[in-house]
Amino acid sequence: MTQVEIYNLALVRIKEPTVQATDEATHQAETLTVLWPTLIEKMLRRHHWHFARRNVQLAEHADDPPEGWTFRYALPTDLVRVRRTYVEQVTGSSLNFDMPTTSQALPYTLQPDNAATSMTMLSMFDDLFLEYTFRTVAPLLWPVDFCDALAWHLAMESVVNLTGRADLVEYCQKGYVAAMSAAITHNANSIQNGPVAAAESIKARW
């Protein structure tokens, strides 16, 4: 879907006139354009979406780490939310990744650099890897379920401003909750670790 299509999906749900462009001089377009970046950020932070997931090896930051920490790392500029940190474990000639669960995550903390111009990550681990949610602003790459939930979120946040009807907030909220639930379910089903092994009785037929 495009940004205009998501705008119009939100507007139709609250019975407002649709728009032809995101930058047109209408109350509807101007209101949704103000809300757009904030609501995307909130939705990206809410869940670990597969379409907004990245893994990178972090580079050490030029500032020394404070007392109590061994390493300071620079963070990606498109970081929305840290999901987990991990390190490589070398065993003989093979290379494995120690990727702990959330409850076993490698300890870290986020802290501004010495100039207070950017956030950095402090860790006790060398050669640290990061899995994170990145800031994606291209609707054409988003799953339709995510777009649907975003449209409901836009409708919920704009309905009073556009229509003056506070009684529609609960209606939009219910739509948003249902759409987010569907999007999260689709996200869980959108990845597969590998092909399912065929049973011996099936393989014997070939």
Side-chain angles (χ1 to χ4, degrees):
M1 298 181 71
T2 65
Q3 187 172 342
V4 170
E5 288 173 331
I6 296 172
Y7 277 20
N8 286 336
L9 187 56
L11 292 169
V12 165
R13 285 168 173 165
I14 56 176
K15 297 183 179 181
E16 280 290 298
T18 56
V19 300
Q20 299 298 314
T22 60
D23 59 352
E24 69 180 34
T26 61
H27 186 39
Q28 291 79 11
E30 291 171 353
T31 298
L32 297 186
T33 297
V34 170
L35 293 170
W36 179 260
T38 300
L39 298 192
I40 293 173
E41 189 95 358
K42 288 174 66 175
M43 287 186 58
L44 289 175
R45 289 183 60 84
R46 180 173 173 180
H47 190 70
H48 197 8
W49 307 101
H50 293 305
F51 70 89
R53 181 175 300 189
R54 279 185 179 156
N55 296 73
V56 296
Q57 183 173 10
L58 297 177
E60 287 195 49
H61 195 276
D63 294 347
D64 291 332
E67 184 177 355
W69 297 94
T70 310
F71 300 96
R72 186 195 288 267
Y73 294 99
L75 291 170
T77 57
D78 61 354
L79 173 70
V80 170
R81 184 169 181 177
V82 173
R83 297 300 175 175
R84 62 177 172 178
T85 58
Y86 57 97
V87 295
E88 291 180 340
Q89 298 293 336
V90 179
T91 305
S93 60
S94 63
L95 182 64
N96 299 313
F97 286 93
D98 178 15
M99 301 175 69
T101 63
T102 302
S103 60
Q104 301 171 326
L106 300 178
Y108 70 87
T109 190
L110 301 182
Q111 189 177 99
D113 61 8
N114 293 342
T117 56
S118 63
M119 293 299 293
T120 64
M121 175 174 283
L122 306 178
S123 174
M124 302 299 293
F125 295 87
D126 194 8
D127 297 326
L128 193 67
F129 284 76
L130 173 68
E131 182 174 59
Y132 69 102
T133 297
F134 72 92
R135 185 173 294 101
T136 168
V137 293
L140 291 176
L141 300 180
W142 300 342
V144 66
D145 307 81
F146 182 87
C147 295
D148 183 46
L150 177 57
W152 274 115
H153 206 174
L154 284 166
M156 180 176 65
E157 294 292 339
S158 66
V159 63
V160 175
N161 180 280
L162 293 178
T163 70
R165 294 186 56 183
D167 59 301
L168 290 178
V169 173
E170 184 177 359
Y171 159 74
C172 294
Q173 185 177 33
K174 289 180 178 178
Y176 170 65
V177 170
M180 276 297 291
S181 178
I184 290 172
T185 298
H186 177 268
N187 184 75
N189 295 330
S190 66
I191 188 170
Q192 183 172 322
N193 292 330
V196 178
E200 292 299 322
S201 59
I202 296 177
K203 290 192 288 185
R205 301 175 189 172
W206 300 88

